[in-house]
Amino acid sequence: MAVVVPDPVQLQPLDLRRLRHLRAAVRSGSLSGAAETLGLSQPALSSSIKSLEADLGVTLLERHRHGVVGTAYAETLLEHFQRVEAELQAAWLRVGRLRQDSAKHLQIGCGPSEATRLLPRALERLRQRRPDLRVEVAYGLNERLMPMVRHGEIECALSSIPSSAAHADLRHQPLYVDRAVVIARADHPLALRRKISAADLAAWPWVLARRWELERRALDELFADAGLPPLQASVETDSAILMKTLVLQGDYLSYVPLEMIHWEQQAGTLRALEGIGSRWERHVGLTTRGDAAVSDGLAALRECLLLAAQSVRGRAATA
């Protein structure tokens, strides 16, 4: 014997308004009373509930001379609707809390050099102005930070910026100009020499950023100008800590922004080699997504960065 399974009811898109109309009618026990509560005409309310019955293919209200009463279908429908409405209300409240939290939460990115002085000084100013603001900092080179800005994972990146926008959807605000230098430990054999050639540099081991970073490309150009092939680094890394540690503890050389070794220079442990002829400059700035609104937290950080950059610019000009 063949069993015929009826087609499932083809429901129209869920209309919460009609469900609220049904609930009001069941609670009131009267279409006229429910219409008055809802601020509708009785014909409009009746039409709304009838359209819901037509979509479901069931009777939701039993009409009698004293008013209306909900059927078992109506009771089942309204039981589930109550849960749905409660979930929607919870979601509404949760979104509101998230919105409040986001106003007190700032996610940014920062490069190694900018984490040395610029960002710490700016964050101290920001703490005094906005003690309620919690800042989350992602650390890395541009190869990591720029995609994070474009994809909205962070609101901004504090790092090297190109002379012209590499991506149309990014906006760059310059803060100061730094320059890249060859660094060695203070007692390295090259450290006291006044004149150093590219050939002299090529004889030593190097720890460098990977080739697509701006500093690495500039170093390749320095060697190309001297008629030499690009350096083959012994170690390639995106870790500024590893770069400086290898230089401090051995014969390694590296090529980094001058700002990145500020504290080591102050302590007399690292120095920038002189007489190399490299004066390549890098522009440091704040990168944001061009189509993104500026939050209050980001606006406050930007003001603090502009103030902190004044002291860094002064040092770069005299270095």
Side-chain angles (χ1 to χ4, degrees):
M1 180 180 68
V3 177
V4 178
V5 180
D7 292 334
V9 175
Q10 298 298 312
L11 297 179
Q12 298 297 318
L14 184 62
D15 186 344
L16 300 183
R17 178 180 52 85
R18 293 188 300 173
L19 292 174
R20 292 191 179 99
H21 293 170
L22 174 64
R23 180 176 62 188
V26 171
R27 286 179 176 177
S28 174
S30 159
L31 287 178
S32 59
E36 183 177 354
T37 300
L38 293 169
L40 297 174
S41 67
Q42 183 173 332
L45 176 61
S46 179
S47 175
S48 174
I49 294 174
K50 284 180 180 179
S51 70
L52 186 59
E53 289 177 322
D55 287 344
L56 291 171
V58 298
T59 298
L60 296 173
L61 293 179
E62 291 182 351
R63 294 160 175 82
H64 52 79
R65 63 178 183 171
H66 298 297
V68 294
V69 64
T71 65
Y73 296 117
E75 291 177 2
T76 299
L77 186 60
L78 292 177
E79 178 185 350
H80 286 278
F81 173 55
Q82 182 176 353
R83 296 174 189 166
V84 169
E85 198 169 42
E87 286 295 324
L88 287 173
Q89 182 65 24
W92 187 272
L93 293 174
R94 187 173 179 185
V95 168
R97 286 194 297 269
L98 285 173
R99 182 179 178 184
Q100 291 177 347
D101 290 343
S102 66
K104 300 178 181 179
H105 184 205
L106 180 62
Q107 293 178 297
I108 68 173
C110 181
S113 302
E114 295 69 41
T116 302
R117 284 197 307 159
L118 179 62
L119 183 59
R121 289 187 175 187
L123 289 179
E124 178 56 25
R125 290 179 182 271
L126 185 64
R127 183 187 65 81
Q128 295 172 9
R129 293 188 181 188
R130 291 285 306 273
D132 62 317
L133 187 63
R134 183 169 64 90
V135 182
E136 183 177 335
V137 183
Y139 179 84
L141 301 179
N142 274 355
E143 62 177 290
R144 179 188 180 212
L145 298 180
M146 292 301 107
M148 293 180 73
V149 176
R150 292 200 308 274
H151 299 152
E153 299 173 52
I154 54 178
E155 287 193 51
C156 67
L158 184 61
S159 63
S160 298
I161 59 174
S163 56
S164 59
H167 295 275
D169 53 346
L170 295 181
R171 181 186 297 124
H172 306 290
Q173 180 178 0
L175 293 171
Y176 72 94
V177 178
D178 195 6
R179 64 186 177 94
V181 292
V182 177
I183 63 169
R185 69 175 194 272
D187 58 349
H188 191 283
L190 295 180
L192 298 178
R193 291 178 57 174
R194 293 185 177 180
K195 186 66 176 178
I196 301 173
S197 68
D200 294 330
L201 297 174
W204 297 91
W206 286 76
V207 52
L208 294 169
R210 284 176 278 192
R211 290 199 175 275
W212 48 77
E213 287 297 322
L214 298 176
E215 294 88 343
R216 183 66 182 274
R217 295 205 299 266
L219 185 63
D220 287 347
E221 291 173 4
L222 186 150
F223 276 79
D225 291 343
L228 296 174
L231 283 172
Q232 297 301 315
S234 299
V235 179
E236 289 188 345
T237 180
D238 59 1
S239 169
I241 294 176
L242 179 59
M243 286 181 186
K244 291 194 287 188
T245 301
L246 285 174
V247 173
L248 279 167
Q249 295 183 358
D251 290 335
Y252 281 92
L253 303 177
S254 192
Y255 191 68
V256 300
L258 181 61
E259 181 64 15
M260 198 170 86
I261 63 165
H262 173 80
W263 299 116
E264 289 81 6
Q265 279 191 307
Q266 294 291 309
T269 57
L270 288 178
R271 69 169 51 192
L273 299 185
E274 299 297 334
I276 300 170
S278 173
R279 296 289 295 182
W280 179 77
E281 294 181 337
R282 62 187 284 268
H283 293 262
V284 176
L286 194 66
T287 299
T288 55
R289 213 169 73 241
D291 60 350
V294 177
S295 67
D296 291 342
L298 179 54
L301 174 64
R302 179 182 290 168
E303 291 180 10
C304 294
L305 284 169
L306 288 170
L307 290 172
Q310 293 177 2
S311 61
V312 176
R313 281 199 301 268
R315 191 252 176 176
T318 58

